[in-house]
Each structure stands twice: as structure tokens, then as C-alpha cells.
Amino acid sequence: MNVIGSGLIQLNRFKKCSKTFVLKNDYNFIDFNQFFDYRFEMIVCKLKKMTQQTSIKFNLYLDCVYVHVLTQEHRDISFKTVNVLAYTNSNFKNLLKKMFDKINKEESNFVTKRSGWSLYSIDALQLRINIVNPLTGSSYVILPDCIRNKKAVINIKLNLVINILKCLKKSGLNFHCIDFPTPVNQIKSFERLNNVSVNVFSLDNKNVVFPLYMNNVESKNHFDLLLINNGITSHYYYCFINDFCRLIRSQKMKHKSKLIICKRCFTVFSNIPCKFKLWGINGLKKT
């Protein structure tokens, strides 16, 4: 068991890809929101640190004790949130606030449905983190057949610099701000220095595409990259996505009609006008 800073404790886990941090209720807060505010910034900093070299999935467990006002029976109750995917430029404050709201709602439902139970104590908050993928691109990797056959990704046997220059046919870009191999957390500096925008996606163990790094606003000079590995070594490689819709389409539906897909949540919008649901570019803008 390792103490991280003041109050945040890391539990020893057998799996290297899974980490649990515990925040104990040292000041005996009896109000959920006060307890959440207690180390809010510390949790945000921990999440930012964990996503510097990898994307993660994380959730929260709030451990409490409730007492029945009539029988004086004590019962351990935990409220939890679902896993959320996060990457280096995620808005962790908003993600945490949504999780806290969800826990507050669960607690309210518990008290309403189970008459006679009252909050006795808040024991601890668990931050559970699962590492999704390491985020450093290096040597050349052959694309999986299911990705290569879509003809939506350009895979060049060159490093990130040449890949970008070849695919965008641009010169004059400044690459002095990044290392080689290039970790994803350095892409933000590259964007700022060159006035470009970059999105990075990767594949899970079933070759399903998911976002790793997303720019909030796509600039005129924008490109999407796919970070992959060969499933054997720890080496990852950047490929250029030249048709995002084609890459994602079969992941969302079987037919091959032209679609508009949100790059953040992969929500699909048809180009066919519809009275009863969002469609086209206007639908995408409202997500």
C-alpha cells in the first residue's frame, strides 16, 4: 500500500494494467458533496498523470455505512459509476462532476426506496483505473486485415514526421517539439506550434476503433491518426486515416451508404432527411 501525496492511497494490485486509489474520509464528512470537494483537485491531477502515456478507463466507488433508525442495524453500502474512457486531453473535471451527480442520484434513490435507512458514515472513495493502451508510436506495424481491407488507412513504413508530410503533402511543419518515438501527450505541443489539429484513435483487442486523443476544434489543417501495434510486442505505430467514415462505418452498421459520424462518440447521422431525428451535418453540430 503506497500513499500518494496526502490522503490518496494506492492499493497493491496483481494486474499492472489495473490500479486502485483510495481516498479516506479523514475529516469525517457526512455530506457527499463536501467529501467530493475535499480532494477533487488531487483526483483530477492523478487522472491527468495517468493519461500522460496511455488512455484509461476509470470509475468511482463510494463506500458508506447506513443505519436503520428503528432497529439500529448497520449496513455497508457502495455506490458506483460506470467505466468512462479518458485520454490525455479529456475534461476530467466535467467527467468527475457527472460521476458525482450520478452517485448523489443513486444515494437519493436508495434512501427513498428503503424507508428508515439513514447515512451513518462515509468511509472512503475508490478511484479505479484500468490502462487501455500505451501511447508511444515507434516501429512499422502491419495493419490487421479487417482494417486494411477497408482502405481507409494509409500505412507507410516511415516515422511520424514523414507519415504526416507524405499524407498531407505539406512542408514547413516544425517537429522539434516532439520526441521519436512520439508519445501522444506531445501532440498538443505539435498542434500549438504548427497551428494544426490532430485526432488519434486506436484499436482494442477486438480491433474495434476508439478515440485516444481528441482536439476540441478541428482546424483547417487537420488530420486523423490510428495508433496500432502488432499484438505481440509493445511497439506502436502511427498510420494516417484518410477516410474516417469508411473506417468506422462497419463498426456501427452493415449497409454501405454515405454516413456522417461523430469522431468523439461515434454517433451516426444519415444524409437522408428525417423529420423525427437528427440527420446530416446539422445533426452532428448538435451533439
Side-chain angles (χ1 to χ4, degrees):
M1 182 179 293
N2 300 316
V3 178
I4 309 297
S6 175
L8 197 59
I9 301 171
Q10 181 178 346
L11 301 182
N12 293 326
R13 301 290 294 271
F14 292 105
K15 294 182 179 180
K16 292 183 179 180
C17 61
S18 178
K19 298 181 183 295
T20 297
F21 300 92
V22 177
L23 178 63
K24 292 187 176 181
N25 188 5
D26 297 327
Y27 292 94
N28 297 318
F29 292 109
I30 201 65
D31 179 82
F32 279 16
N33 290 323
Q34 288 181 351
F35 181 53
F36 292 152
D37 292 340
Y38 168 48
R39 293 294 185 187
F40 181 80
E41 292 298 332
M42 176 180 286
I43 298 174
V44 171
C45 289
K46 173 54 62 178
L47 291 170
K48 287 182 177 180
K49 184 176 180 180
M50 292 296 298
T51 53
Q52 286 180 355
Q53 296 295 328
T54 183
S55 60
I56 63 172
K57 288 184 178 180
F58 75 96
N59 69 336
L60 300 176
Y61 274 73
L62 184 65
D63 300 320
C64 306
V65 176
Y66 280 77
V67 60
H68 198 280
V69 294
L70 297 179
T71 64
Q72 295 302 304
E73 176 190 354
H74 288 68
R75 183 177 297 180
D76 294 329
I77 301 294
S78 293
F79 302 103
K80 65 179 180 179
T81 66
V82 297
N83 272 313
V84 173
L85 178 66
Y87 30 86
T88 185
N89 65 332
S90 292
N91 190 328
F92 293 107
K93 290 186 177 181
N94 283 350
L95 291 176
L96 285 173
K97 287 177 180 178
K98 288 180 180 179
M99 287 184 169
F100 293 157
D101 289 343
K102 198 255 184 187
I103 289 176
N104 274 318
K105 186 176 180 180
E106 273 197 18
E107 196 271 345
S108 178
N109 291 337
F110 172 81
V111 173
T112 302
K113 292 179 180 179
R114 302 197 180 191
S115 179
W117 289 96
S118 177
L119 179 63
Y120 179 78
S121 66
I122 301 172
D123 290 344
L125 179 70
Q126 296 184 42
L127 171 63
R128 298 186 177 185
I129 298 175
N130 292 300
I131 297 172
V132 177
N133 268 313
L135 299 182
T136 301
S138 59
S139 57
Y140 175 76
V141 174
I142 298 175
L143 286 170
D145 290 342
C146 61
I147 300 297
R148 185 172 63 252
N149 293 338
K150 293 178 182 180
K151 298 181 180 179
V153 177
I154 299 174
N155 192 15
I156 303 174
K157 290 186 178 181
L158 299 167
N159 62 30
L160 176 63
V161 175
I162 305 301
N163 208 334
I164 291 174
L165 291 177
K166 288 283 186 181
C167 296
L168 294 183
K169 298 180 180 179
K170 291 184 66 66
S171 60
L173 294 177
N174 190 335
F175 291 90
H176 295 298
C177 59
I178 58 177
D179 299 322
F180 301 96
T182 307
V184 168
N185 66 320
Q186 291 185 3
I187 288 180
K188 192 170 185 177
S189 298
F190 173 78
E191 291 175 312
R192 190 184 305 114
L193 188 62
N194 292 282
N195 195 27
V196 298
S197 60
V198 181
N199 292 334
V200 181
F201 302 86
S202 190
L203 304 174
D204 65 13
N205 55 6
K206 295 183 180 179
N207 289 327
V208 174
V209 180
F210 65 91
L212 286 178
Y213 174 90
M214 301 297 296
N215 193 299
N216 293 326
V217 179
E218 290 191 4
S219 68
K220 182 179 179 180
N221 297 323
H222 173 82
F223 50 94
D224 297 318
L225 299 177
L226 181 67
L227 187 61
I228 63 169
N229 84 331
N230 58 10
I232 300 174
T233 68
S234 60
H235 292 160
Y236 279 69
Y237 182 76
Y238 290 100
C239 303
F240 183 80
I241 301 173
N242 65 328
D243 193 329
F244 180 79
C245 179
R246 181 179 290 180
L247 177 65
I248 302 298
R249 184 170 53 203
S250 63
Q251 190 171 303
K252 302 297 294 184
M253 55 185 58
K254 293 183 179 180
H255 66 75
K256 298 182 179 181
S257 61
K258 183 67 175 178
L259 301 171
I260 297 172
I261 302 175
C262 175
K263 293 181 180 179
R264 286 187 173 275
C265 62
F266 293 179
T267 300
V268 175
F269 300 94
S270 173
N271 269 332
I272 302 174
C274 181
K275 293 182 179 180
F276 306 106
K277 62 181 180 180
L278 298 175
W279 64 278
I281 295 295
N282 289 332
L284 179 63
K285 290 179 179 179
K286 292 180 181 179
T287 56

